[in-house]
Amino acid sequence: MDSKRLLAPPAPIYVASHQEESPHPDLENLTPSSTTTDRSPLSLQVPSSPGGKSLAGDTLRTRADSFNSTAETTRSRADSFNSRAETARSRGNSDLTTLRSRFEGDDLSTEEALRPDKTNEKDFEVENSPFAFSPGQLNKTLNPKSLAAYRALGGIYGLERGLQTDLVAGLSVDETSIPDKIDFEAATSPTASKKPLNARRIIAQDVIVTDHEVKGQYHDRKRIFKDNRLPAKKAISIWRLFWNAYNDRVLLILTAAALISLALGIYEAVGQPPDPKEGKSVDWVEGLAITVAIVIVVLVTGLNDYRREKQFSALNAKKDDRQVKAIRSGKSVMISVFDVMVGDILHLESGDSIPADGILVGGHGIRCDESSATGESDAMKKTGGAEVWQRMVEGTATSKLDPFIISGSKVLEGVGTYLVTSVGVNSSYGKIMMGLQAENEETPLQAKLARMANWIGYLGTSAAGLLFFVLLIRFLAGLSGNTDSPAKRGQTFLDILIVAVTIIVVAVPEGLPVAVTLALSFATKRMFKEKNLVRHLRACETMGNATTICSDKTGTLTQNKMTVVAGLLGTDINFARDIDLSDEDKTLLTFTAAFDRLSPDVRRLLLQSVAINSTAFEGEEDGKATYIGSKTETALLTMAKEFLGMGPVAEERAGVEVVQLFPFDSDRKCMGVVVRLASGSYRLLVKGAAEIMLRHAALELVDVARESLDTTELSEAAWTQAAANIEDFATQSLRTIALLFKDFPQWPPAGAETLEDDRSMAKFEAVCRDMAFLGVVGIQDPLRDGVAHAVKKCQDAGIVVRMVTGDNVTTASAIARQCGIKTEKGLVMEGPKFRQLSDEDMDKMLPNLQVLARSSPDDKRILVSRLKHLGETVAVTGDGTNDGPALKMADVGFSMGIAGTEVAKEASAIILMDDNFSSIVKAVMWGRSVNDAVSKFLQFQITVNITAVILAFVSAVSSSQMHSVLSAVQLLWVNLIMDTFAALALATDAPTEKILNRKPTPKRAPLITTNMWKMIIGQAIYQLLVTFVLYFAGYDILGYDSKCAPLDQLTDAAMHCTDTMHTELNTMVFNTFVWMQIFNEFNNRRLDNKLNIFEGVLKNYFFIGINCIMVGGQIMIVFVGGKAFQIKAIDGTQWAVCILCALPCLLWAVVLRCIPDLYAKVVFDFVGKIWLAVARPVMKVLAIIFRPVGKALTAVLAPTKRFNKRTVAKLSRKQAREDEAYGKGVAAADVEAADGSGSEMKTLASPTTPPQPRNTSAEFPIQPPPITLTTAN
């Protein structure tokens, strides 16, 4: 893990007060350290647990909570409780002069402080509760923050009693129902009975505690307070999706025309005498068939949308889940954020996103960013609940005291623990999110396709409008000589309208946005299985076009399994284990031999440098005892345990008095701690990046074997030797950590610069100078298996991989060479030098920069910014809180699922659940697959659009009966094929590694490349040529003339024969047209000029299944479609003709692929210029012509539009009522879940994710986009 993640959460330390009598018993034992504003050095005394084990568990006492009061402070607190009655009397007499300060609401009574608001009175009503407080009473401490409510609840100890929890041990993992009840008075009384030690649920240290499932676990807590889930936004019902699919203007017009046609057909069949020549009228069949076809289209579209919604809901549930650190039964365990309960004790550390409301128990330097929850832009300093309570009793509390931890806020710095008081819908952030649950976002590709769909639809609508007016003029011109009945003439007019409207249905490519949605849903689901959790859909498609990846080293390129393998003690004792150092003359000792040479004082100093100056702690992972925290620190603790005889970390820290903590800082690359020695002096312990620490060293130990810690000046020779050792370790790809110390007679040292807000704390830069050098350790972190191969694949794909790390230049270069990132001509630069470059110099060197060492998060942000300025599509990895700006700025930010902070995860677009670089390569493959899927579908659909619209238009205009060769029902079947079935088939091809054998697509590349235009226009020409030949010359070619020639042309038999032959010919045209689309679908599986279109087809079961449905449906339509589809069953010879005419589509595609794209580009550029010259004036003329028609149509459809609006409004109101009822009904669901029915809970969302703004799709003006042609590789 990178050195900037040295800061990890500690376990709390608790002290035992030595006062023999105290009016407040909770101060007598296990008083949690409470302060972030300690005024003096504090002593630690920890009670022992049975069996000689530490009472609170070996993970519960770290120096983060060790800032405990001295005996004097404790006595003052005890005295302050004795004076409480006197203070209260002075308040009762309104003698405010006795109070040193006031806070808002100080004069409120308990009843007034906890009075419910009218809007949340139900939160104060609970039945059969074993707890002293209701959810409403707990919420009164927040929104707004209220110290008066906190006081009314009895402070931190009243909350401990009232919630039946333990500030030391947390909740018991075996808790189910709570038999003992406690009332409000008993919980808040200052004279409440002491909680005996044996009542604290502590288990032995050798027992492994896991967050195991217990039947009915936390039943009463879930029943009263609920758990940490929000009711998921109620899914859109399938009926609403059907309505949305149908609520399309074109489909509504087609429905109206179909119903009128059906009515007229029924009138002709029932109300009119049948024509002796034609028999009983069956014109009603077409209207019915169109209606049925519309229903099928709506059903398929609605089911498709339903499937998509279900997929995204499942992904969102996985996206919101995460692990948090809790204390249960006295041990630190990892639990799901959904399983956080009221009464839990949770760890806090820098970078955490707070999952629930609560009160700070204790910690050090806690500052929170509450801007997302309260709008407060300043970092809020937190004070421990015990200190706030004490200040209230003393009468010195002010409104500046803030023990409140708000859900949704971020921990900027510090470590500590807090008591959870509100979760889920009862938490402050949960209430906000209930009204701000995000809609599914629209990706850039979806927006582009929506614009293109509008443009294509405009052209199709223009063609349909032109056809309608041409046929209408012909119809009106022939009315004078038309002898048909009025119903028949009305039916003819409706046929014209239906054909025109159906062409619009076919021409509008509503499947384009659907295709990208399907591709994204399919890709994100598969990416999750490959350890990529996609948080923002746009990242999936963007990653396919990434041109550079800026990757961390630790945990991403390496395994993050760190082990100390070599080191230097003092300046002359070298030790190593299982590693070949370059200097063969150097005398190397084993670990045991090296540490045996140390005197007890030096061993103790070294042990303190490792154990005290650390934020790692003992815990459990996967049921095994281990160290939890930074991998660098856990490696040092493991070394101390194995070779220095270190016992439990908590016991090592228990006897040490910590005065000040300097958390790890990614800029200075080190951390430190100040401890008070038994002699009364103070010792500063520092560890960090070795070559940087060496610059601060001016002293060394005289002899590490001597009992005293005498120091002498660090000679130039010794300094050079230490630097050589550090360089030697770095060349072996080892991370080097140096240990320094310095003693001070007082703290803060005389003349040292102090913090502005706390003069008892010194600034690090003022004291970290002239330090004594203790030693260096080299930590090995092996490369991940296959990372070199993954880097090579990225480079072959045209992606530049850069390493950005906090390690020194030598270590970073060595690792980069092993990975294949560093080449002979590549540049390696340090962060401090990089950030000093001007923009011009930076832009010149960036193309060759391969390794950025000793970099800070700000260096990473600058690097991303300049790369984007140069037109690169940048992906970046990050794990720390400070990486947030770089992750946000990058086109795609990858956070670490294992090592990353919650702030980094929320700033990222994709979470690497295994922290592995190879998973980034998988993301590139799936991103390219999404873009390819959309291009395949686009190529297929535009081909069908062009062919279908032109064929229908020309055949209708040329027909004496003004009928298109493709009927309305046939066109709807074609529309179903190309909009839904093809989207499913072409959007589900899984990527292969061959997809990486091409360069990334530039950001401004057009959606349709030259190669795609070549295939679209080439296939459209072939399909139109074949269908026109069949339609206009098929009657002669197939010999239909000879079949009807023997009959008298004026007889009914001859006319019937001719009509039958025409129907058969139209059926063949329709059948050939559909089969050409089926075969062309195989052509569109490839976007390049390679010929193998069947590659991987057997692995895509969706493609095979969809094509089987299309083939089966087409065969069934031809044989049994009859009057509904206006076709006639054809024989085997005719089937053979259809297939043989359609099959050459595959061979024609081979010919097209053999045409060089460069030649095609020249032709298309010329045609494109002519097209724009002609199209623009035509568009203007059409706009002038159709604008009045559009207004008239709008006026005609106004009643229908109003009806639709009213219907949608009613549905929306009904949905809102259902949502409200659903939210109020969560309690019942929680009770069921508490009884063991957990399946319903899987559909609920986390309250910890910041609200996303609603996505409002923009209305794009309809205009022809510029035609840009590029040459496909």
Side-chain angles (χ1 to χ4, degrees):
M1 188 170 184
D2 198 84
S3 61
K4 61 189 171 189
R5 290 285 297 122
L6 289 174
L7 188 60
I13 299 178
Y14 298 90
V15 298
S17 171
H18 288 278
Q19 298 302 309
E20 295 182 0
E21 295 181 1
S22 172
H24 198 292
D26 285 86
L27 290 179
E28 293 192 42
N29 266 303
L30 297 172
T31 301
S33 71
S34 59
T35 73
T36 58
T37 58
D38 302 306
R39 293 294 184 267
S40 61
L42 308 173
S43 63
L44 267 116
Q45 297 185 16
V46 181
S48 60
S49 60
K53 299 289 185 179
S54 60
L55 175 65
D58 55 18
T59 63
L60 294 183
R61 299 172 311 226
T62 78
R63 107 207 149 299
D65 286 319
S66 67
F67 304 92
N68 306 296
S69 59
T70 60
E72 292 179 359
T73 306
T74 308
R75 284 195 296 272
S76 70
R77 291 186 177 181
D79 293 339
S80 70
F81 278 95
N82 289 327
S83 65
R84 182 174 183 178
E86 182 180 346
T87 304
R89 282 194 299 272
S90 69
R91 290 180 179 176
N93 297 329
S94 300
D95 185 11
L96 302 181
T97 59
T98 61
L99 300 180
R100 278 172 273 177
S101 58
R102 292 281 304 240
F103 59 88
E104 185 177 355
D106 186 25
D107 54 348
L108 294 179
S109 66
T110 298
E111 194 174 304
E112 291 171 329
L114 299 179
R115 180 178 296 160
D117 300 324
K118 292 183 179 180
T119 57
N120 61 357
E121 290 179 348
K122 291 184 178 180
D123 293 341
F124 290 76
E125 300 170 2
V126 292
E127 296 181 2
N128 193 28
S129 173
F131 305 104
F133 311 123
S134 66
Q137 289 173 327
L138 295 172
N139 285 339
K140 291 297 288 185
T141 58
L142 298 170
N143 196 26
K145 299 174 184 176
S146 172
L147 289 173
Y150 176 68
R151 183 183 62 193
L153 294 174
I156 191 73
Y157 308 115
L159 289 168
E160 179 189 28
R161 290 188 294 270
L163 296 178
Q164 303 220 34
T165 184
D166 196 298
L167 297 179
V168 176
L171 299 179
S172 170
V173 294
D174 297 319
E175 178 188 311
T176 53
S177 297
I178 300 177
D180 301 325
K181 296 184 179 181
I182 184 170
D183 58 26
F184 184 90
E185 290 73 18
T188 58
S189 172
T191 59
S193 60
K194 174 182 175 181
K195 190 172 187 178
L197 293 179
N198 57 13
R200 297 186 181 272
R201 295 181 284 271
I202 306 295
I203 67 171
Q205 294 301 298
D206 55 353
V207 176
I208 299 298
V209 174
T210 58
D211 187 34
H212 60 281
E213 286 295 329
V214 176
K215 186 176 182 180
Q217 190 178 36
Y218 305 124
H219 173 273
D220 282 337
R221 292 187 190 276
K222 292 180 180 178
R223 179 172 61 85
I224 302 300
F225 301 114
K226 306 180 176 59
D227 63 6
N228 200 32
R229 305 170 195 251
L230 292 181
K233 183 179 179 182
K234 194 170 180 64
I236 301 176
S237 69
I238 193 169
W239 306 110
R240 179 68 180 272
L241 291 172
F242 286 149
W243 173 254
N244 291 343
Y246 177 68
N247 194 22
D248 179 83
R249 182 177 299 179
V250 178
L251 281 181
L252 292 174
I253 296 173
L254 192 59
T255 303
L259 291 176
I260 296 173
S261 175
L262 178 62
L264 288 176
I266 293 173
Y267 173 74
E268 281 190 69
V270 177
Q272 296 291 322
D275 190 327
K277 296 180 180 180
E278 298 182 2
K280 192 171 183 179
S281 174
V282 289
D283 287 346
W284 58 271
V285 172
E286 183 179 15
L288 179 62
I290 294 173
T291 305
V292 172
I294 292 172
V295 171
I296 292 173
V297 169
V298 169
L299 287 176
V300 172
T301 304
L303 289 171
N304 201 15
D305 290 342
Y306 182 73
R307 174 178 171 272
R308 180 193 63 192
E309 290 288 333
K310 295 291 285 183
Q311 281 187 342
F312 283 128
S313 296
L315 285 171
N316 285 334
K318 293 173 183 174
K319 177 182 73 177
D320 293 332
D321 193 11
R322 60 186 174 92
Q323 297 288 302
V324 295
K325 301 181 185 72
I327 299 174
R328 288 187 174 175
S329 292
K331 300 296 287 280
S332 292
V333 294
M334 303 296 292
I335 63 173
S336 168
V337 70
F338 296 148
D339 296 333
V340 172
M341 296 287 140
V342 168
D344 260 322
I345 303 296
L346 298 185
H347 287 290
L348 293 174
E349 67 165 314
S350 176
D352 278 351
S353 179
I354 297 173
D357 293 339
I359 302 295
L360 182 65
V361 175
H364 175 76
I366 299 284
R367 291 180 182 272
C368 294
D369 174 10
E370 298 177 351
S371 58
S372 60
T374 65
E376 176 60 54
S377 58
D378 295 334
M380 305 300 294
K381 183 178 181 180
K382 300 298 177 179
T383 308
E387 180 179 349
V388 174
W389 178 249
Q390 178 66 22
R391 295 278 295 275
M392 285 181 170
V393 173
E394 294 173 351
T396 61
T398 69
S399 295
K400 292 183 178 181
L401 295 177
D402 185 1
F404 306 109
I405 305 297
I406 302 179
S407 55
S409 58
K410 311 293 187 301
V411 181
L412 296 179
E413 58 185 68
V415 288
T417 56
Y418 80 103
L419 169 66
V420 175
T421 58
S422 295
V423 295
V425 293
N426 292 321
S427 66
S428 56
Y429 207 52
K431 293 177 182 294
I432 296 174
M433 287 193 63
M434 286 294 291
L436 294 176
Q437 289 176 325
E439 302 285 344
N440 287 335
E441 61 183 321
E442 183 182 48
T443 70
L445 188 56
Q446 285 174 319
K448 283 184 182 179
L449 290 174
R451 290 195 291 270
M452 177 167 282
N454 285 341
W455 177 68
I456 296 173
Y458 180 69
L459 292 178
T461 303
S462 301
L466 183 61
L467 174 63
F468 176 76
F469 278 102
V470 170
L471 297 183
L472 179 63
I473 292 171
R474 286 182 58 186
F475 172 74
L476 295 175
L479 276 180
S480 58
N482 194 331
T483 58
D484 292 335
S485 65
K488 194 75 172 178
R489 282 178 284 178
Q491 184 67 51
T492 303
F493 172 77
L494 282 175
D495 288 343
I496 295 172
L497 177 62
I498 288 172
V499 169
V501 173
T502 308
I503 287 177
I504 297 176
V505 173
V506 175
V508 174
E510 63 270 16
L512 284 179
V514 173
V516 68
T517 303
L518 286 172
L520 285 169
S521 64
F522 180 73
T524 50
K525 187 175 181 181
R526 294 292 295 272
M527 286 173 69
F528 180 78
K529 294 180 180 179
E530 296 181 352
K531 307 302 182 183
N532 282 273
L533 177 56
V534 179
R535 299 185 67 253
H536 301 298
L537 288 179
R538 66 177 61 228
C540 188
E541 63 190 46
T542 305
M543 193 58 207
N545 300 325
T547 58
T548 184
I549 299 173
C550 300
S551 174
D552 284 344
K553 176 186 74 69
T554 305
T556 308
L557 298 171
T558 61
Q559 297 179 18
N560 204 18
K561 295 179 180 179
M562 297 194 182
T563 308
V564 178
V565 295
L568 173 68
L569 297 176
T571 57
D572 55 357
I573 298 180
N574 291 281
F575 60 94
R577 172 176 55 185
D578 299 331
I579 189 167
D580 179 23
L581 295 179
S582 58
D583 190 353
E584 298 179 356
D585 296 330
K586 196 180 303 177
T587 302
L588 294 178
L589 300 176
T590 64
F591 274 68
T592 303
F595 289 117
D596 284 346
R597 290 193 177 188
L598 304 181
S599 68
D601 286 345
V602 175
R603 288 175 68 93
R604 191 176 306 110
L605 173 62
L606 184 60
L607 185 58
Q608 286 186 347
S609 295
V610 172
I612 307 303
N613 188 20
S614 173
T615 54
F617 57 97
E618 288 159 319
E620 293 150 12
E621 289 182 353
D622 300 326
K624 297 180 181 180
T626 185
Y627 295 115
I628 298 176
S630 159
K631 297 301 181 182
T632 301
E633 294 192 323
T634 58
L636 291 171
L637 290 175
T638 301
M639 178 194 73
K641 180 178 180 180
E642 293 177 353
F643 301 106
L644 293 175
M646 183 184 73
V649 175
E651 293 181 6
E652 297 293 340
R653 295 170 178 169
V656 179
E657 181 184 333
V658 176
V659 178
Q660 185 173 353
L661 169 70
F662 298 104
F664 178 81
D665 185 273
S666 56
D667 289 325
R668 58 182 179 235
K669 303 294 182 187
C670 64
M671 64 185 297
V673 67
V674 180
V675 297
R676 185 176 183 179
L677 304 178
S679 62
S681 61
Y682 298 84
R683 177 170 293 159
L684 170 63
L685 302 171
V686 178
K687 72 178 178 188
E691 75 280 7
I692 296 178
M693 294 297 95
L694 192 58
R695 298 172 197 160
H696 297 288
L699 304 170
E700 66 170 323
L701 289 171
V702 174
D703 186 356
V704 295
R706 292 178 59 173
E707 290 297 328
S708 63
L709 298 179
D710 295 334
T711 58
T712 184
E713 183 179 354
L714 183 63
S715 65
E716 184 176 349
W719 193 97
T720 304
Q721 182 61 42
N725 275 272
I726 294 171
E727 181 72 13
D728 193 15
F729 293 157
T731 57
Q732 299 295 326
S733 303
L734 301 183
R735 165 172 290 178
T736 54
I737 302 295
L739 306 173
L740 309 180
F741 77 97
K742 186 176 182 179
D743 292 342
F744 296 90
Q746 67 182 61
W747 195 265
E753 190 176 0
T754 58
L755 300 179
E756 292 182 3
D757 56 350
D758 191 346
R759 295 300 178 185
S760 66
M761 301 295 171
K763 285 189 175 181
F764 182 79
E765 292 74 13
V767 294
C768 187
R769 58 182 63 173
D770 298 330
M771 303 286 289
F773 180 78
L774 179 58
V776 177
V777 293
I779 302 176
Q780 186 181 56
D781 186 12
L783 280 183
R784 286 185 178 273
D785 295 335
V787 71
H789 179 60
V791 170
K792 181 67 167 57
K793 286 194 291 187
C794 283
Q795 292 168 343
D796 292 342
I799 303 172
V800 178
V801 181
R802 294 177 170 88
M803 178 193 290
V804 183
T805 179
D807 281 338
N808 64 41
V809 170
T810 306
T811 303
S813 298
I815 294 288
R817 288 192 185 92
Q818 294 178 35
C819 296
I821 294 175
K822 176 70 171 66
T823 62
E824 292 297 328
K825 297 182 180 179
L827 292 180
V828 179
M829 183 171 286
E830 287 186 316
K833 295 180 181 178
F834 173 78
R835 70 179 77 115
Q836 298 299 324
L837 296 175
S838 65
D839 289 347
E840 293 75 14
D841 293 339
M842 200 176 291
D843 292 345
K844 290 178 182 178
M845 57 79 61
L846 276 179
N848 296 319
L849 179 67
Q850 294 177 341
V851 178
L852 187 61
R854 282 292 172 235
S855 62
S856 67
D858 196 50
D859 296 329
K860 186 183 291 186
R861 181 190 61 79
I862 295 171
L863 175 63
V864 172
S865 175
R866 296 314 302 173
L867 287 171
K868 290 186 69 176
H869 176 75
L870 295 176
E872 301 276 1
T873 301
V874 185
V876 66
T877 67
D879 58 3
T881 301
N882 292 338
D883 288 327
L887 291 169
K888 277 285 188 186
M889 181 174 291
D891 294 288
V892 182
F894 286 89
S895 63
M896 304 295 107
I898 299 173
T901 64
E902 292 307 316
V903 172
K905 292 176 184 177
E906 289 182 7
S908 66
I910 299 176
I911 298 175
L912 294 177
M913 295 186 292
D914 59 354
D915 292 8
N916 194 340
F917 184 84
S918 297
S919 297
I920 300 178
V921 180
K922 295 288 186 182
V924 174
M925 293 171 61
W926 278 107
R928 293 190 176 189
S929 177
V930 168
N931 293 325
D932 284 359
V934 173
S935 296
K936 292 172 186 177
F937 179 74
L938 188 62
Q939 181 174 299
F940 174 79
Q941 182 158 50
I942 293 179
T943 304
V944 182
N945 275 5
I946 293 174
T947 310
V949 171
I950 293 178
L951 179 61
F953 185 95
V954 172
S955 60
V957 171
S958 63
S959 170
S960 59
Q961 297 178 343
M962 295 181 290
H963 287 170
S964 166
V965 67
L966 300 177
S967 68
V969 182
Q970 292 172 7
L971 286 171
L972 288 174
W973 166 244
V974 171
N975 183 68
L976 191 64
I977 288 175
M978 71 180 191
D979 269 351
T980 302
F981 291 155
L984 283 168
L986 294 173
T988 51
D989 266 331
T992 64
E993 289 195 1
K994 292 182 180 179
I995 205 170
L996 297 174
N997 295 335
R998 67 171 192 254
K999 302 300 180 185
T1001 304
K1003 285 183 178 180
R1004 299 187 179 276
L1007 285 173
I1008 307 178
T1009 65
T1010 299
N1011 187 60
M1012 291 172 65
W1013 277 120
K1014 182 177 66 177
M1015 297 301 294
I1016 290 169
I1017 295 176
Q1019 285 291 339
I1021 291 173
Y1022 174 80
Q1023 292 181 17
L1024 288 172
L1025 183 64
V1026 171
T1027 50
F1028 282 156
V1029 168
L1030 274 177
Y1031 180 71
F1032 290 108
Y1035 202 78
D1036 297 326
I1037 295 173
L1038 298 176
Y1040 287 153
D1041 279 340
S1042 60
K1043 292 181 180 180
C1044 297
L1047 301 175
D1048 188 345
Q1049 296 300 314
L1050 298 178
T1051 62
D1052 292 342
M1055 296 177 64
H1056 178 71
C1057 177
T1058 302
D1059 290 342
T1060 301
M1061 293 299 102
H1062 276 293
T1063 303
E1064 285 187 6
L1065 183 61
N1066 288 348
T1067 301
M1068 291 180 66
V1069 173
F1070 165 65
N1071 196 31
T1072 303
F1073 177 79
V1074 172
W1075 278 98
M1076 283 192 290
Q1077 310 318 316
I1078 294 173
F1079 291 135
N1080 192 40
E1081 190 180 10
F1082 284 86
N1083 288 329
N1084 290 310
R1085 293 190 71 247
R1086 290 205 80 104
L1087 293 171
D1088 52 23
N1089 286 323
K1090 296 181 180 179
L1091 303 180
N1092 185 7
I1093 60 175
F1094 300 103
E1095 181 179 1
V1097 69
L1098 296 179
K1099 296 179 182 179
N1100 189 344
Y1101 300 114
F1102 267 106
F1103 186 88
I1104 295 173
I1106 292 298
N1107 277 276
C1108 288
I1109 292 173
M1110 289 194 294
V1111 170
Q1114 180 62 21
I1115 293 173
M1116 184 178 67
I1117 287 171
V1118 171
F1119 279 109
V1120 300
K1123 287 287 185 180
F1125 282 82
Q1126 299 181 17
I1127 60 177
K1128 184 180 183 299
I1130 55 179
D1131 57 29
T1133 303
Q1134 292 166 325
W1135 265 101
V1137 171
C1138 294
I1139 298 298
L1140 291 175
C1141 287
L1143 193 60
C1145 276
L1146 301 176
L1147 300 177
W1148 179 241
V1150 173
V1151 174
L1152 292 174
R1153 285 189 166 97
C1154 291
I1155 300 174
D1157 290 347
L1158 186 60
Y1159 296 162
K1161 184 178 185 303
V1162 173
V1163 174
F1164 291 148
D1165 282 342
F1166 177 74
V1167 174
K1169 290 177 182 178
I1170 296 177
W1171 157 256
L1172 290 176
V1174 174
R1176 283 171 179 164
V1178 171
M1179 293 287 184
K1180 292 180 181 179
V1181 172
L1182 290 176
I1184 294 172
I1185 295 174
F1186 287 111
R1187 188 173 290 116
V1189 177
K1191 291 181 179 179
L1193 190 60
T1194 301
V1196 171
L1197 293 176
T1200 304
K1201 188 175 181 181
R1202 286 195 296 271
F1203 171 76
N1204 288 339
K1205 282 187 175 180
R1206 286 195 296 270
T1207 304
V1208 171
K1210 288 180 181 178
L1211 288 173
S1212 299
R1213 287 194 295 271
K1214 181 180 178 182
Q1215 184 81 18
R1217 288 194 297 270
E1218 290 176 355
D1219 289 346
E1220 183 179 0
Y1222 184 74
K1224 292 179 180 178
V1226 174
D1230 289 336
V1231 173
E1232 293 177 7
D1235 288 331
S1237 176
S1239 59
E1240 295 84 0
M1241 295 311 227
K1242 294 180 181 178
T1243 63
L1244 299 177
S1246 165
T1248 59
T1249 305
Q1252 304 281 338
R1254 286 189 183 275
N1255 181 34
T1256 55
S1257 300
E1259 296 292 334
F1260 299 101
I1262 298 177
Q1263 57 182 356
I1267 299 178
T1268 309
L1269 300 173
T1270 61
T1271 303
N1273 292 321

